Amino acid sequence: MAPVKEGFEGVEWRIRVADGSSVVPVSDIGFARKVWLRAKGLVSCLGLNVWMFLKKAWDIGANDPRKVIHCLKVGLALTLVSLFYFMRPLYDGVGGNAMWAVMTVVLVFEPNVGATLYKCLNRMFATFLAGFLAFGVHWIASQSGDRFEPFVVGASVFLLASMATFSRFIPSVKSLFDYGAMIFILTFSFVAVSGYRVDKLFDFAHQRISTIFIGTSLCILVIILVCPIWCGQELHGLTVRNMDKLADSLNGWFFFLSRSRSLFLKDMLRTSVTTVSGCVAQYFTNIKGEDDKKVQGYKCVLSSKASEDSMANFARWEPSHGQFNFRHPWKQYQKIGASMRSCAYCIEALNSCTNKENKAAESIKKHLSTSCLKVSSTSSSVIRELAETVKKMKTSPTIFMFVGEMNRAVEQLRNDLKSLSRLLDLSTTAENKEHETPLAEATGSVSFMEIIPVVTLASILIDIAARTEALVGSVEELAKLADFATNDGKSKKSEMKDKIVPDEEKPEGTLEAVQRV
């Protein structure tokens, strides 16, 4: 195939058939075909983008079906409110102000029960209070004459709007009534500066409050009766998950003990230390963990403060549901979260300490490895037991036993540190050198900079144990305030009504006996 002619409109080609019987001229692609190919490409690209969007939307709904349920509930609530437009008796009762009911549903409907109740109740009370005050200000202004009416209205708007805005900076008011203060400012300013006469203003305020009451009532009914999502349960589950993640970060199952490892690993195997801290084990064994995500789980605890505060605030508005009463101590969950973050900060420091470039002396690591791993293991066991306590809302009879093991491990680590300080004393006399241990001989040539990383890690572990004990106190306070059940199914309040056994008659092994020990 070769070019034979070049015309004004393009290049012409000739195609010779295999038998050489004929020659067919072929011109270049026409304008119409170019347009068709371009349009076809655009349609294909658009179809691909739509398909990718639908696939992402499907993945979002499949990962969290509650989002789909929330969308359906919003549609249901708006459909019910729209009946005020389509049913003549209802429309005649509220008139054209039925739009306020639709607007109320759009503004106050939230995915969970607590947030919806918070907005609904704030909107109703704020609208009623603002309407009542605006009606009073309008009446006083109308009685003062046309000359002083603008001054009365302007002064009232300035004073009440300033006070309501300042109240939003007060922490206790902001946590409970921030949305209500904003609605109060909007409603009062709107009604106060309106041009209605007093008689028509009363009818307008009546219709406005009625429509908002209808909209909020429908939202409350739909959010509670149709697949409710409770903030209290969400906060409870989040606290349990954070405790599990904290325990996983502090304690990873370690199965990498092999014959080719150093001598102190064999000593650990003989002492049956099978559960050790993930990052601590990596530091002492130089072995990477198989699941680094569990070791990094403490980062979720550090970033959960905003969610915990929001859920605790909304949970206070919820009625009794499930195992949670109306006066459930939700604020205590915030204290537990603060204690967990305190532990997570230490774990973050521990993780950064194990990743330092400066290497520690193997002899020092060998000396402190068993006690350090024991502290991390027992601390993790305490946190995991606390997670089970909160999850089941039942007091644990073994928590004090775990705390005792943790304290004994901490005491052993402190003794190892004290012995290390004595062995590293540079003022050793010639008489004492004759009685030096093998560890003292091995640490004779260790520099001070090689000792600091191991000692720092040990001190952080001791601090983690102390903060874990503070976490135990926070969970015990929650169990007391929420009246957690005991192993026999009775609550603490019901146990107080029963006959109390004297201390000398209590059998060994009970919770009280463990506490005394």
Side-chain angles (χ1 to χ4, degrees):
M1 183 171 63
V4 298
K5 179 181 179 182
E6 182 177 353
F8 294 101
E9 297 179 357
V11 179
E12 187 179 89
W13 299 81
R14 290 182 180 273
I15 301 176
R16 186 176 298 277
V17 184
D19 57 0
S21 59
S22 63
V23 177
V24 181
V26 181
S27 61
D28 60 338
I29 299 176
F31 176 76
R33 184 168 180 80
K34 289 182 179 180
V35 173
W36 164 251
L37 293 176
R38 180 64 59 87
K40 184 178 179 181
L42 291 176
V43 171
S44 301
C45 183
L46 179 61
L48 180 61
N49 291 333
V50 171
W51 171 254
M52 294 301 296
F53 174 79
L54 294 177
K55 186 177 183 300
K56 290 181 180 179
W58 177 268
D59 293 338
I60 292 174
N63 293 332
D64 192 357
R66 297 182 301 178
K67 295 179 180 178
V68 180
I69 296 175
H70 170 65
C71 299
L72 298 178
K73 290 194 292 186
V74 172
L76 176 61
L78 288 175
T79 302
L80 295 176
V81 171
S82 301
L83 295 177
F84 285 88
Y85 275 103
F86 299 108
M87 298 179 67
R88 175 56 62 179
L90 298 177
Y91 182 82
D92 294 338
V94 296
N97 290 315
M99 180 59 65
W100 289 105
V102 178
M103 186 181 299
T104 298
V105 173
V106 175
L107 292 177
V108 304
F109 208 98
E110 295 290 336
N112 51 69
V113 178
T116 304
L117 288 175
Y118 162 76
K119 283 193 171 183
C120 287
L121 297 178
N122 271 267
R123 188 175 181 85
M124 283 194 296
F125 290 142
T127 303
F128 177 79
L129 180 60
F132 178 77
L133 291 177
F135 179 79
V137 169
H138 228 281
W139 183 84
I140 295 174
S142 64
Q143 297 297 321
S144 61
D146 296 338
R147 182 178 180 180
F148 295 99
E149 182 176 0
F151 296 99
V152 174
V153 175
S156 63
V157 171
F158 172 78
L159 182 62
L160 292 178
S162 301
M163 293 174 60
T165 303
F166 180 78
S167 66
R168 299 180 67 184
F169 295 104
I170 303 175
S172 58
V173 177
K174 182 177 178 63
S175 61
L176 294 175
F177 307 108
D178 183 69
Y179 183 75
M182 183 180 63
I183 295 299
F184 174 85
I185 297 171
L186 177 64
T187 304
F188 180 81
S189 301
F190 177 74
V191 176
V193 301
S194 62
Y196 291 98
R197 295 194 302 270
V198 176
D199 53 349
K200 292 186 177 181
L201 182 63
F202 180 79
D203 295 336
F204 171 76
H206 177 265
Q207 291 180 354
R208 172 78 184 276
I209 293 175
S210 300
T211 52
I212 290 179
F213 178 78
I214 292 171
T216 53
S217 299
L218 287 176
C219 289
I220 292 174
L221 290 176
V222 172
I223 199 66
I224 291 180
L225 298 180
V226 182
C227 300
I229 300 176
W230 303 95
C231 273
Q233 293 181 354
E234 293 293 314
L235 177 60
H236 189 81
L238 177 64
T239 303
V240 174
R241 290 193 301 271
N242 282 345
M243 283 188 180
D244 288 333
K245 291 177 181 178
L246 196 64
D248 289 336
S249 297
L250 192 61
N251 184 14
W253 290 96
F254 183 72
F255 297 108
F256 309 108
L257 303 180
S258 60
R259 297 179 181 178
S260 60
R261 298 302 174 186
S262 57
L263 178 61
F264 70 91
L265 287 178
K266 297 179 181 179
D267 295 337
M268 285 164 42
L269 182 60
R270 286 195 296 267
T271 55
S272 299
V273 183
T274 57
T275 57
V276 295
S277 167
C279 57
V280 178
Q282 293 177 14
Y283 178 75
F284 283 110
T285 61
N286 297 323
I287 302 175
K288 295 288 185 180
E290 289 185 347
D291 195 354
D292 291 334
K293 291 183 178 179
K294 289 187 176 181
V295 178
Q296 301 296 328
Y298 68 91
K299 294 182 179 179
C300 297
V301 181
L302 295 176
S303 60
S304 63
K305 184 181 187 302
S307 300
E308 291 175 357
D309 294 342
S310 177
M311 291 179 183
N313 180 34
F314 293 146
R316 286 185 285 177
W317 295 88
E318 294 179 345
S320 178
H321 57 280
Q323 297 177 304
F324 310 105
N325 299 323
F326 178 70
R327 302 292 296 177
H328 193 76
W330 300 114
K331 287 186 177 181
Q332 189 62 30
Y333 285 86
Q334 294 176 282
K335 297 180 180 179
I336 293 176
S339 299
M340 286 192 293
R341 282 187 293 275
S342 178
C343 294
Y345 286 130
C346 284
I347 296 177
E348 186 175 30
L350 184 69
N351 196 27
S352 61
C353 180
T354 57
N355 292 332
K356 286 184 177 180
E357 295 181 358
N358 49 342
K359 302 297 182 180
E362 292 296 329
S363 58
I364 307 299
K365 292 168 64 176
K366 175 183 176 181
H367 179 66
L368 298 177
S369 61
T370 302
S371 55
C372 286
L373 295 173
K374 186 65 175 178
V375 170
S376 64
S377 174
T378 53
S379 300
S380 177
S381 299
V382 171
I383 297 175
R384 202 173 297 279
E385 187 67 19
L386 293 177
E388 288 296 321
T389 299
V390 177
K391 180 180 180 180
K392 298 179 180 179
M393 298 186 70
K394 183 183 295 185
T395 58
S396 173
T398 59
I399 184 62
F400 295 103
M401 180 184 68
F402 287 117
V403 173
E405 292 179 357
M406 181 184 67
N407 291 333
R408 286 190 291 271
V410 170
E411 189 64 26
Q412 179 185 353
L413 178 57
R414 288 174 177 170
N415 293 333
D416 291 342
L417 288 174
K418 292 178 182 179
S419 62
L420 182 64
S421 63
R422 289 194 298 268
L423 292 172
L424 296 175
D425 189 2
L426 299 180
S427 60
T428 307
T429 59
E431 292 80 9
N432 293 334
K433 288 182 180 181
E434 297 178 357
H435 305 284
E436 283 183 346
T437 61
L439 176 61
E441 296 177 358
T443 57
S445 60
V446 174
S447 64
F448 184 72
M449 296 302 297
E450 293 178 327
I451 302 173
I452 292 179
V454 190
V455 176
T456 302
L457 184 140
S459 62
I460 293 176
L461 285 173
I462 294 175
D463 195 12
I464 289 176
R467 301 189 183 197
T468 302
E469 197 164 358
L471 178 60
V472 173
S474 300
V475 175
E476 287 295 314
E477 184 67 19
L478 175 64
K480 179 180 178 182
L481 296 175
D483 194 20
F484 281 8
T486 56
N487 288 334
D488 54 2
K490 296 182 179 180
S491 63
K492 293 184 178 180
K493 292 182 180 179
S494 61
E495 281 187 343
M496 293 176 62
K497 298 180 181 179
D498 298 336
K499 184 177 179 180
I500 300 178
V501 182
D503 292 341
E504 59 272 15
E505 296 181 4
K506 290 180 181 179
E508 295 295 332
T510 60
L511 178 61
E512 292 81 358
V514 175
Q515 284 182 289
R516 291 200 305 270
V517 175

